Amino acid sequence: MTEFRYGPVELYLVELDGNRPESETIAALKQMVASGTVRVLDILLVSRDDDGELTTIETAHEMTKLGLTDAEPLEPGLTGEADVSALAEYIPLGRTAFVIALELTYQRELSQRLAESGSRVLRTERIPAPIVNAMVDVLMDES
C-alpha cells in the first residue's frame, strides 16, 4: 500500500483583530509546528469590505511580513476558491480573517493504519472546543 503523504486536513477560519495575525497567534502557530503537532499546508488572508467584496492574499509570498518564516506552508495554493468562498460568508463586513489549512500530524498515521487494515473512514465530525467545554461544565454542574 502507498504511504500517505498527508493525513486529513482541517481548514480554520480565524478572525483577526486587525488586518494581520497578532504576534501571539503567530507564536502559538510556530510552537505547534515546531513541536510536530501540526503542519501548515496553506495560509490565506481574506478581507471582506463593508460592501461584502472579498480580497484574498496568498500569504506564502508574504511570510516574512507576517512573521511566519518558521511556519511556511508546505502546499501553497491547496485552499481553493470554493473553500474561500464558503468560509468567507462567516467573516463580518469590514473585517479580515485568515484561512489556514492544517494537517494534524497524528491523523496521517491513523489514516494510514486504517487504510492498511481495509477500513474506510466514512465521515468525521468535529465538535468545536468551546462547545465541548461548555457541555462538560453543564454535565459537571448536574452531577
Side-chain angles (χ1 to χ4, degrees), residues 96-128:
T96 298
F98 71 94
V99 176
I100 183 167
L102 292 177
E103 176 199 19
L104 305 177
T105 55
Y106 76 89
Q107 290 186 5
R108 181 176 356 114
E109 183 176 346
L110 176 61
S111 297
Q112 179 74 41
R113 289 185 180 205
L114 290 172
E116 288 170 355
S117 73
S119 299
R120 291 185 315 143
V121 176
L122 299 176
R123 181 175 168 84
T124 63
E125 188 73 31
R126 169 89 37 201
I127 303 170

Side-chain angles (χ1 to χ4, degrees), residues 22-38 40 67-68 71 98 100 102:
E22 296 79 15
S23 60
E24 296 85 5
T25 302
I26 299 300
L29 183 58
K30 288 166 89 171
Q31 182 180 20
M32 298 296 285
V33 169
S35 72
T37 305
V38 299
V40 176
L68 285 168
F98 71 94
I100 183 167
L102 292 177

